[in-house]
């Protein structure tokens, strides 16, 4: 059973209802499901408990009922796992309204989160404050109980995997390809899920960020205004963007001179020979764009021609590569080709790259506007960009909270 | 051509021998109680299976591959083991055949290693508990059939999950190769049973009660039997077979009778049959008895797409049976068929399949479509097999497993038109 941890989601839901400025929470606590604890109740401030706790074997649960502008009040029982669960069930301490930064992430089965030990404040964000009391509880338990509950993770995973293959062999696979990760339907539960960010894969695929971005746009249209968090250039460097040819061009421009070529370029001689030319082409087309000027059409044409040569060199070699390397190489060249087409069009290039982002960073507000204008979405991040994606998630979530709070209520 | 043909030389070809062979091998630990030709036995280290007559003594150490309905009694007659088939395809796991190896007993009544498939164990004791030791993968379970007549079922199946990537084993790092996943379902059908697995002992009883226990190779057994109110349909011996199920059962019985007379002729006859059910029986038998050479030859000469399709299913089942099957197959493709390493790796990868995440990437389809005009028929055919399952709209594109290069090019162009480079497939229109 999935344990849900109250995050900013609840806080925002609390705020969305004028009638509920402070949610009264009733909580039963205890160590594990076999030890039901006493009921405790305490006021929760406007921000609620907006963090995730490591998933250890302690748990407690809360019954929450809040009204929302989306319809009737929502009642649900939420369980806290791990350090938070232990803390809430054993400390009769009101959770003071704090502006929490993102605390420790749930440790994976294999690698404990370094964030657990590195302190509660993200270096990427400005204006964050930590809850040292809670954080200390978490880290203490974290050191003592670095145990992830794997028993339920794959309870039907193996059987489901086998059944899926059997269905596939019989030709029963669903007709449509799985829907590409997107911002979701915009329903409250989609937004709640995005704000809670329980699924690491969906966080790192950009799906949650895109959902919250959509909600921010909607809140702005409804009149939401407020101070916006700022993302530093170091943070932006780790974020991937996708979803349109403009996104491909944006990534190429940002990474000109530092673009990592797929391994096929090392193993296929014809591609190895073309790599220097492509690298030069990319720098040549990106350089003027990086200082706000249009790309040189002749250089863009050469870039396109070299990409075509690379595609022609790759195609006959696809079967000689491991499947994933073949796909990665093909995708890389498709993205370069897509970027070249955008760079050819001065109207599309205009405003695509803002040099200030590399020195001062960008505000969440401006980033959302930029992405909306160029139809860009967050893409899948690298494995080592978890903290960056978390920081962006925190910034987006906080900004959404600020916007929602500022929207004038209809009488 | 599938290209797996021509594995007909040493190493991967096992012919079903004619006639009933003499008893060889370990000590007798059980006796068959079913009709002739329900058991095929292979001594360790041997290549051939021998078809066993009715009432044959079963030796410890022999790999026994059974037809549905095959039954045996332990030497002391206290336990009956019977194998079952999933005629209607309603079992939670895809059971194509059953195989196990018997072991000498010490204090227990029966001991065996379940390799795959479904077996039921019944206590024949007049009083007291009958004990069976069952091994599978890395597990050893001691099952006590507590009451006279108590009966339990075990189903074991393995597969490579979608998205698995094939990696040739690094000779310098033995034991590091990836493994398929396996799942076992243990169900008390009648009476009660106690299961000891490791340090945990579980009491279970037939429905209504804690009747089902699951194990998988990823997380092991969850030592929490689940309660069932009644037997699931797939396990209920009183479940009435569908028309299709009856056809399968009848075909298996005909096969058994033919095999009792002449095993090789039976396989050949059923392979050549126009009845797809009979063909399936023969294809499953070839896979079950490790006759990959003959299986490949059959696929290469497949008369119908359905025959070819099911043959691929049999091979995928063979690959997922246990760890190491993929490496054996890969090495066989290189050593015997003469594929180079890249081709062999790609063939195994195409047999493994791809995940939902792979299908979110347009370039997956890009690359698969390029495979459709590969010089190797095996790669072309496997790419087509996967593509029509990814994109059912592509079933209207004509494809011949034994087509020419021109046919392959035409097929490629048609797929390219359906899925342009860099695009995802169009969504299938549903007719309401």
């Amino acid at each position: 059973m999935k344990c849900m941890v109250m995050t900013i989601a609840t806080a925002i839901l609390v705020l969305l209802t004028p009638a509920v400025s402070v949610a009264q929470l009733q909580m039963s606590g205890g160590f594990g499901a076999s030890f039901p604890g006493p009921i405790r109740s305490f006021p929760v401030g406007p921000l609620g408990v907006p963090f995730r706790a490591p998933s250890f074997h302690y748990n407690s649960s809360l019954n929450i009922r809040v009204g929302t502008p989306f319809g009737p009040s929502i009642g649900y029982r939420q369980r806290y796992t791990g350090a938070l669960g232990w803390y809430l069930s054993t400390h009769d301490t009101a959770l003071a309204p704090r502006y929490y930064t993102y605390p420790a992430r749930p440790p994976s089965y294999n690698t404990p989160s370094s964030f657990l030990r590195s302190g509660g404040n993200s270096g990427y964000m400005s204006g964050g404050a930590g809850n040292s009391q809670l954080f200390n509880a978490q880290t203490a338990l974290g050191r003592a109980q670095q145990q992830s509950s794997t028993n339920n993770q794959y309870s039907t995973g193996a059987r489901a995997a086998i059944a899926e293959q059997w269905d596939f062999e019989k030709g029963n696979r669903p007709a449509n390809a799985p829907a590409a990760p997107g911002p979701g339907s915009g329903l409250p539960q989609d937004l709640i899920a995005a704000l809670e960010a329980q699924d690491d894969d969906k966080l790192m695929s950009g799906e949650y960020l895109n959902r919250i971005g959509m909600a921010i746009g909607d809140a702005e249209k409804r009149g939401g205004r407020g101070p916006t968090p700022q993302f530093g250039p170091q943070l932006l460097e780790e974020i991937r963007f996708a979803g349109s040819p403009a996104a491909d061009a944006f990534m190429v421009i940002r990474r000109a001179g530092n673009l990592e070529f797929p391994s096929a370029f090392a193993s296929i001689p014809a591609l190895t020979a073309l790599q220097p030319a492509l690298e030069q082409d990319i720098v040549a087309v990106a350089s003027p764009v990086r200082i706000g000027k249009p790309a040189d059409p002749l250089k863009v044409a050469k870039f396109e021609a070299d990409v075509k040569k690379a595609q022609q060199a790759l195609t006959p070699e696809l079967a000689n590569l491991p499947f994933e390397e073949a796909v990665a190489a093909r995708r890389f060249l498709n993205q370069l080709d897509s970027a070249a087409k955008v760079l050819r069009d001065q109207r599309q290039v205009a405003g695509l790259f803002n040099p200030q982002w590399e020195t001062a960073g960008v505000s969440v507000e401006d980033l959302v506007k930029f992405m909306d204008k160029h139809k860009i979405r967050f893409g899948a991040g690298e494995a080592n960009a978890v903290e960056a994606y978390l920081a962006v998630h925190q910034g987006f979530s906080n900004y959404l909270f600020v916007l929602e709070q500022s929207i004038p209520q209809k009488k | 051509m599938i290209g797996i043909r021509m594995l007909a030389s040493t190493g991967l070809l096992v012919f079903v021998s004619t006639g009933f062979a003499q008893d060889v091998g370990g000590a007798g630990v059980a006796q068959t109680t079913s009709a002739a030709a329900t058991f095929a036995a292979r001594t360790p280290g041997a290549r051939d299976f021998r078809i066993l007559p009715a009432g044959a003594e079963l030796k410890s150490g022999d790999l026994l591959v059974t037809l549905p309905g095959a039954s045996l009694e332990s030497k002391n007659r206290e336990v009956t083991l019977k194998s079952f088939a999933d005629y209607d395809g309603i079992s939670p796991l895809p059971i194509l055949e059953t195989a196990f190896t018997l072991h000498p007993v010490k204090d227990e009544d029966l001991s065996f290693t379940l390799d795959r498939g479904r077996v039921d164990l019944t206590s024949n004791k007049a009083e007291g508990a009958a004990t069976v030791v069952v091994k599978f993968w890395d597990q050893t379970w001691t099952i006590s059939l507590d009451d006279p007549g108590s009966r339990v079922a075990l189903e074991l199946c393995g597969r490579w999950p979608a998205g698995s990537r094939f990696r040739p084993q690094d000779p310098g790092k033995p034991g590091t190769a990836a493994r398929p996943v396996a799942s076992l379902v243990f169900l008390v059908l009648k009476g009660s049973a106690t299961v000891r697995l490791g340090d945990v002992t579980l009491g279970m009883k037939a429905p209504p009660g804690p009747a089902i226990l699951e194990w998988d190779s990823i997380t092991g057994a969850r030592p929490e039997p689940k309660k069932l109110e009644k037997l699931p349909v797939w396990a209920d011996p009183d479940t009435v077979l569908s028309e299709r199920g009856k056809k399968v059962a009848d075909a298996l019985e005909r096969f058994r009778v033919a095999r009792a007379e002449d095993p090789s002729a039976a396989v050949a006859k059923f392979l050549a049959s126009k009845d797809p059910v009979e063909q399936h029986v023969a294809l499953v038998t070839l896979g079950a008895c490790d006759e990959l050479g003959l299986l490949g030859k059959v696929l290469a000469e497949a008369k119908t797409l359905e025959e070819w399709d099911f043959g691929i299913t049999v091979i995928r089942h063979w690959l997922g049976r246990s760890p190491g099957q993929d490496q054996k197959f890969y090495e066989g493709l290189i050593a015997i068929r003469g594929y180079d390493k890249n081709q062999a790796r790609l063939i195994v990868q195409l047999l493994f399949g791809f995940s939902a995440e792979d299908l979110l990437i347009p370039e997956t389809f890009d690359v698969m479509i390029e495979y459709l005009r590969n010089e190797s028929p095996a790669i072309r055919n496997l790419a087509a097999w996967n593509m029509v399952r990814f994109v059912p709209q592509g079933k209207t594109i004509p494809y011949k497993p034994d087509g020419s290069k021109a046919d392959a090019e035409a097929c490629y162009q048609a797929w390219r038109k359906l899925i342009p480079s860099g695009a995802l497939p169009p969504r299938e229109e549903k007719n309401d």
Side-chain angles (χ1 to χ4, degrees), chain A residues 154 158-159 162 164-166 168-169 173 175-179 315 318-324 330-331 334, chain B residues 92 94 157 159-160 162 165 167 214 216 313 316 342 345 352 354 356 360 363 366 370 374 389 392 427-428:
Chain A
Y154 288 106
R159 182 142 62 98
I162 294 170
E164 183 183 300
Q165 290 289 57
W166 185 222
F168 183 74
E169 286 152 11
R173 195 174 182 96
N176 295 319
T315 298
L318 285 172
N320 292 330
L321 294 168
F323 174 76
E324 59 276 14
R330 190 65 171 230
R331 183 162 178 75
N334 281 351
Chain B
C157 181
R159 274 286 197 283
W160 288 92
R165 296 289 187 244
R167 299 270 182 269
E214 294 176 50
D216 67 66
T313 297
R316 281 164 56 104
N342 292 332
R345 180 185 56 212
F352 272 14
F354 306 94
L360 293 175
E363 285 73 20
D366 247 356
E370 291 295 338
N374 191 276
R389 281 157 176 77
R427 288 197 165 259
E428 193 177 21

Side-chain angles (χ1 to χ4, degrees), chain A residues 140-302:
Chain A
L141 279 175
R143 288 195 196 101
Q145 295 274 349
Q146 196 81 51
Q147 173 191 352
S148 58
S149 55
T150 61
N151 284 348
N152 292 326
Q153 294 296 326
Y154 288 106
S155 55
T156 56
R159 182 142 62 98
I162 294 170
E164 183 183 300
Q165 290 289 57
W166 185 222
D167 264 350
F168 183 74
E169 286 152 11
K170 290 188 284 189
N172 290 341
R173 195 174 182 96
N176 295 319
S185 60
L187 290 173
Q189 49 266 38
D190 287 341
L191 182 57
I192 291 171
L195 290 167
E196 287 182 330
Q198 286 292 309
D199 188 332
D200 290 353
D201 289 342
K202 289 185 179 178
L203 173 69
M204 294 308 295
S205 72
E207 183 174 334
Y208 288 155
L209 300 180
N210 290 322
R211 283 181 186 169
I212 301 171
M214 202 172 85
I216 288 173
D218 179 63
E220 284 175 338
K221 285 179 190 150
R222 287 186 285 121
R225 293 290 180 269
T228 167
Q230 185 85 5
F231 291 143
Q234 186 189 2
L235 171 62
L236 288 177
E237 197 52 35
E238 297 196 50
I239 303 300
R240 297 288 174 268
F241 298 96
S244 68
D248 295 336
F250 180 64
M251 292 297 295
V252 166
I253 296 165
R254 285 172 71 207
R255 303 199 144 248
N258 277 325
L259 200 60
E260 198 175 313
F261 280 61
S263 55
F265 278 78
S267 56
I268 299 176
L271 288 179
T272 307
L274 283 168
Q275 182 171 341
L278 282 170
E279 286 171 334
Q280 285 173 10
D281 289 338
I282 292 168
V283 171
V285 300
S287 296
V289 179
R290 290 172 72 91
I291 56 173
K293 293 182 180 176
D296 184 333
L298 287 176
K299 293 192 165 67
V300 173
K302 182 177 183 300

Side-chain angles (χ1 to χ4, degrees), chain B residues 114-411:
Chain B
L114 181 62
D115 194 68
R116 58 209 188 254
R118 174 177 163 184
V119 296
D120 282 12
L121 303 169
T122 307
S123 169
N124 300 328
K125 276 194 165 179
E127 57 181 7
T131 307
V132 181
V133 173
V134 181
K135 299 180 185 181
F136 56 93
W137 282 61
D138 61 352
Q139 299 287 299
T140 301
W141 290 13
T142 303
I143 300 168
S144 170
L145 304 168
D146 295 333
D147 310 315
S150 285
R151 182 172 166 192
V152 302
L154 294 98
E155 259 195 14
L156 175 67
C157 181
R159 274 286 197 283
W160 288 92
S164 299
R165 296 289 187 244
F166 173 69
R167 299 270 182 269
Q169 170 77 61
D170 182 348
K173 295 178 185 174
T176 57
R179 295 149 48 115
V181 297
S183 179
L184 178 130
V185 174
F186 174 86
L187 179 63
V188 180
L189 302 173
K190 186 181 172 187
S192 63
T194 307
V195 181
R196 194 174 80 236
L197 38 145
D199 298 335
V200 179
T201 302
L202 303 166
M204 300 174 63
K205 70 184 277 291
I212 192 165
L213 183 67
E214 294 176 50
W215 168 91
D216 67 66
S217 59
I218 298 172
T219 60
R222 289 181 296 150
E224 295 175 23
K226 280 192 220 164
K227 185 178 175 186
L228 294 180
E229 293 302 325
K230 57 179 183 175
L231 278 179
V233 172
W234 62 267
D236 191 340
D238 295 331
T239 298
V240 175
L241 292 177
S242 66
E243 286 307 311
R244 155 94 187 164
K246 286 177 190 167
K247 278 188 75 175
V248 174
D250 292 343
L252 278 162
E253 176 56 19
R254 289 196 300 276
F255 179 72
R256 184 198 66 75
V257 169
R259 189 160 83 150
E261 286 183 20
D262 185 341
S264 293
V267 171
K269 178 186 170 189
F270 274 62
L271 282 174
S273 169
K274 288 186 173 23
D275 180 358
V277 175
E278 291 192 344
Q279 285 178 355
H280 287 193
V281 167
L283 289 170
V284 169
T285 301
L286 293 182
C289 294
D290 297 332
E291 295 197 41
L292 293 187
L294 190 49
L295 180 59
K297 184 171 184 294
V298 166
L299 291 178
E301 296 165 3
K303 300 168 196 60
T304 64
L305 202 57
E306 190 184 44
E307 183 182 352
W308 195 86
D309 273 359
F310 191 73
I312 297 301
T313 297
V314 169
I315 294 175
R316 281 164 56 104
H317 182 75
W318 189 93
L319 286 171
R321 186 193 293 177
S322 56
Q325 298 287 90
D326 58 328
Q327 302 296 331
K328 285 183 207 167
F329 194 82
Y330 168 74
E331 286 155 14
L333 288 173
I334 295 170
I336 298 168
R337 178 60 184 90
Y339 286 102
D340 64 39
K341 288 183 180 176
N342 292 332
Q343 290 174 316
R345 180 185 56 212
L346 182 54
I347 287 171
V348 180
Q349 182 61 60
L350 288 168
L351 285 164
F352 272 14
F354 306 94
S355 66
E357 285 71 29
D358 290 328
L359 301 185
L360 293 175
I361 304 171
E363 285 73 20
T364 294
F365 299 94
D366 247 356
V367 168
M368 291 290 287
I369 292 174
E370 291 295 338
Y371 291 160
L372 288 172
R373 54 178 182 178
N374 191 276
E375 59 184 17
S376 162
I379 293 171
R380 293 202 298 266
N381 291 350
L382 284 168
W385 185 88
N386 277 285
M387 284 298 292
V388 293
R389 281 157 176 77
F390 296 155
V391 189
Q393 301 94 303
K395 284 180 187 169
T396 58
I397 297 174
Y399 186 80
K400 301 175 195 173
D402 57 350
S404 64
K405 272 201 160 183
D407 293 329
E409 182 63 28
C411 177

Side-chain angles (χ1 to χ4, degrees), chain A residues 10-263:
Chain A
T10 306
I12 289 180
L13 284 176
V14 170
L15 288 167
L16 291 171
T17 308
V20 184
S21 58
V22 171
Q24 291 292 333
L25 301 179
Q26 290 202 315
M27 185 191 79
S28 62
F31 295 94
S34 57
F35 293 92
I39 305 292
R40 301 173 196 271
S41 62
F42 47 86
V44 176
L47 283 180
V49 185
F51 43 73
R52 300 170 61 184
S55 52
F56 303 122
H57 275 304
Y58 301 103
N59 66 77
S60 58
S61 59
L62 265 72
N63 294 312
I64 301 161
R65 190 149 203 98
V66 295
T68 75
F70 304 108
S73 62
I74 296 173
Y76 43 86
R77 186 185 178 88
Q78 299 211 17
R79 285 173 63 188
Y80 292 79
T81 63
L84 178 58
W86 168 84
Y87 184 82
L88 292 176
S89 63
T90 56
H91 289 68
D92 198 1
T93 306
L95 293 172
R98 299 281 159 100
Y99 188 81
Y100 293 117
T101 58
Y102 267 79
R105 283 180 49 74
S108 66
Y109 320 124
N110 300 319
T111 55
S113 168
S114 61
F115 206 82
L116 184 64
R117 301 182 181 86
S118 65
N121 294 324
S122 167
Y124 293 124
M125 290 291 297
S126 58
N131 179 353
S132 59
Q133 187 179 26
L134 181 58
F135 178 74
N136 289 339
Q138 289 177 335
T139 51
L141 279 175
R143 288 195 196 101
Q145 295 274 349
Q146 196 81 51
Q147 173 191 352
S148 58
S149 55
T150 61
N151 284 348
N152 292 326
Q153 294 296 326
Y154 288 106
S155 55
T156 56
R159 182 142 62 98
I162 294 170
E164 183 183 300
Q165 290 289 57
W166 185 222
D167 264 350
F168 183 74
E169 286 152 11
K170 290 188 284 189
N172 290 341
R173 195 174 182 96
N176 295 319
S185 60
L187 290 173
Q189 49 266 38
D190 287 341
L191 182 57
I192 291 171
L195 290 167
E196 287 182 330
Q198 286 292 309
D199 188 332
D200 290 353
D201 289 342
K202 289 185 179 178
L203 173 69
M204 294 308 295
S205 72
E207 183 174 334
Y208 288 155
L209 300 180
N210 290 322
R211 283 181 186 169
I212 301 171
M214 202 172 85
I216 288 173
D218 179 63
E220 284 175 338
K221 285 179 190 150
R222 287 186 285 121
R225 293 290 180 269
T228 167
Q230 185 85 5
F231 291 143
Q234 186 189 2
L235 171 62
L236 288 177
E237 197 52 35
E238 297 196 50
I239 303 300
R240 297 288 174 268
F241 298 96
S244 68
D248 295 336
F250 180 64
M251 292 297 295
V252 166
I253 296 165
R254 285 172 71 207
R255 303 199 144 248
N258 277 325
L259 200 60
E260 198 175 313
F261 280 61
S263 55

